[in-house]
């Protein structure tokens, strides 16, 4: 893992945007894996800002796969992750909506939805860069504690804590769906580069467990320790629980200028 403790959320957003842009400059038909949640939003806004300023590469050939999706919300509901990613990023970058795939929560197809999504990712040639956040309980995508470390896309039931955390996007707790489709931890491990972004003190303990704790299904994000190319961008709050924070800062300050992230 390349752990990069930065000062502010804006620094995290800028570096995350640099990493996405440099991939798209190198690989115009890149395949992006996109997380929702509040953590990546500043990076998405920065990408959109650069694009509208005319200073960004073309995203016309980019294809995207969202990380997860709620089950039970009507198609087009503003809190579906598909709709969210259109509004927060892909529309602004001019990526056609048909080039954005997401797990299909249509009820009749649920038993096969996971395998269909895995097949779609495979037929796109795999994900080049997967952006992820982290839940306060260490969940990755919607892989809650106890999830198989080699899982693939499937239906999961949310914990009460995650539903409470996500109530802020709905009117009340009862409106937050109980079930979701999510890329598995094994799916995320197959992405060629994983970019974890976390900001704020509320993430400090989950980040410390994921980065410096034992590899364990009890902290699903710890599976990223197995990934050969994982970059972790943190602000001061999210890095607050790291025992080796000073070392990560020294490593980052000494990073050779020729060396890419991921
Ligand atoms: C949600 C999403 C995850 C996200 C996590 C943290 O449950 N499924 O992909 O990483 O919550 O969200 P936030 O970034 O809003 O804290």
């Amino acid at each position: 893992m390349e752990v990069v403790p930065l000062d502010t959320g804006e620094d995290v957003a800028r570096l995350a945007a640099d990493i996405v842009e440099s991939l798209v400059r190198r690989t115009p038909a890149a395949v992006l894996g996109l997380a929702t949640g509040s953590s990546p939003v500043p990076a998405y806004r920065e990408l959109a800002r650069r694009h509208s300023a005319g200073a960004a590469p073309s995203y016309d050939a980019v294809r995207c796969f969202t990380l997860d999706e709620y089950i039970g919300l009507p198609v087009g509901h503003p809190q579906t992750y598909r709709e969210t990613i259109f509004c927060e990023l892909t529309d602004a970058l001019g990526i056609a909506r048909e080039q954005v795939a997401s797990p299909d929560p249509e009820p009749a197809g649920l038993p096969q939805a996971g395998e269909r999504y895995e097949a779609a990712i495979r037929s796109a040639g795999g994900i080049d860069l997967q952006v992820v956040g982290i839940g306060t309980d260490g969940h990755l995508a919607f892989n809650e504690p106890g999830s198989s470390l080699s899982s693939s896309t499937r239906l999961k039931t949310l914990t009460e804590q995650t539903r409470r955390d996500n109530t802020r996007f709905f009117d009340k707790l009862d409106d937050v769906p109980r079930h979701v489709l999510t890329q598995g931890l094994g799916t995320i491990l197959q992405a060629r580069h994983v970019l974890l972004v976390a900001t704020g003190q509320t993430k400090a303990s989950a980040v410390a467990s994921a980065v410096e704790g034992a590899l364990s299904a009890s902290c699903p994000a710890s599976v990223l320790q197995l990934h050969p190319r994982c970059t972790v961008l943190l602000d001061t709050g999210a890095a607050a629980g790291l025992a080796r924070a000073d070392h990560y800062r020294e490593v980052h300050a000494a990073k050779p200028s020729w060396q890419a992230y991921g």
Side-chain angles (χ1 to χ4, degrees):
M1 276 176 161
E2 181 169 21
V3 183
V4 185
L6 298 164
D7 291 337
T8 66
E10 293 79 59
D11 296 332
V12 169
R14 273 192 295 272
L15 183 50
D18 290 347
I19 291 170
V20 172
E21 277 193 359
S22 98
L23 168 68
V24 175
R25 280 185 213 285
R26 283 193 317 272
T27 311
V31 180
L32 300 180
L34 298 173
T36 47
S38 38
S39 307
V41 168
Y44 294 165
R45 291 208 177 119
E46 176 66 10
L47 285 165
R49 189 192 62 73
R50 294 179 190 184
H51 187 261
S52 67
S58 166
Y59 288 84
D60 291 355
V62 167
R63 285 160 301 162
C64 305
F65 286 86
T66 65
L67 199 50
D68 41 17
E69 185 57 279
Y70 288 118
I71 294 172
L73 299 180
V75 175
H77 186 289
Q79 291 309 329
T80 59
Y81 283 172
R82 185 168 175 76
E83 225 26 64
T84 303
I85 217 71
F86 291 157
C87 295
E88 283 175 353
L89 184 66
T90 56
D91 286 354
L93 298 182
I95 300 173
R97 291 188 169 197
E98 314 80 74
Q99 284 166 223
V100 181
S102 47
D104 184 359
E106 186 265 318
L110 283 176
Q112 295 81 33
E115 187 34 54
R116 278 207 312 273
Y117 202 55
E118 294 286 330
I121 293 172
R122 277 195 303 275
S123 74
I127 290 172
D128 292 306
L129 175 64
Q130 176 66 64
V131 178
V132 294
I134 185 171
T136 54
D137 60 0
H139 75 244
L140 206 55
F142 271 135
N143 295 280
E144 296 283 21
S147 292
S148 157
L149 297 178
S150 59
S151 47
S152 51
T153 306
R154 69 220 182 285
L155 181 145
K156 290 291 283 179
T157 304
L158 298 183
T159 62
E160 277 304 296
Q161 180 176 335
T162 297
R163 291 185 64 240
R164 274 199 302 276
D165 285 350
N166 288 1
T167 304
R168 65 190 192 281
F169 299 112
F170 293 84
D171 290 337
K172 55 185 189 307
L173 179 61
D174 274 353
D175 295 344
V176 184
R178 277 175 204 285
H179 294 115
V180 295
L181 286 166
T182 181
Q183 284 190 31
L185 296 172
T187 319
I188 294 166
L189 283 183
Q190 283 167 28
R192 284 182 272 280
H193 181 197
V194 177
L195 177 63
L196 170 65
V197 289
T199 49
Q201 186 107 31
T202 55
K203 298 295 173 69
S205 145
V207 166
S209 302
V211 172
E212 295 180 339
L215 174 66
S216 166
S218 296
C219 178
S222 68
V223 78
L224 296 176
Q225 294 176 25
L226 291 175
H227 197 287
R229 296 175 72 219
C230 176
T231 306
V232 180
L233 304 185
L234 307 168
D235 72 351
T236 310
L242 292 172
R244 291 189 288 272
D246 288 345
H247 174 63
Y248 307 133
R249 286 194 185 93
E250 284 162 19
V251 171
H252 188 237
K255 188 175 174 70
S257 57
W258 52 262
Q259 191 185 59
Y261 289 91

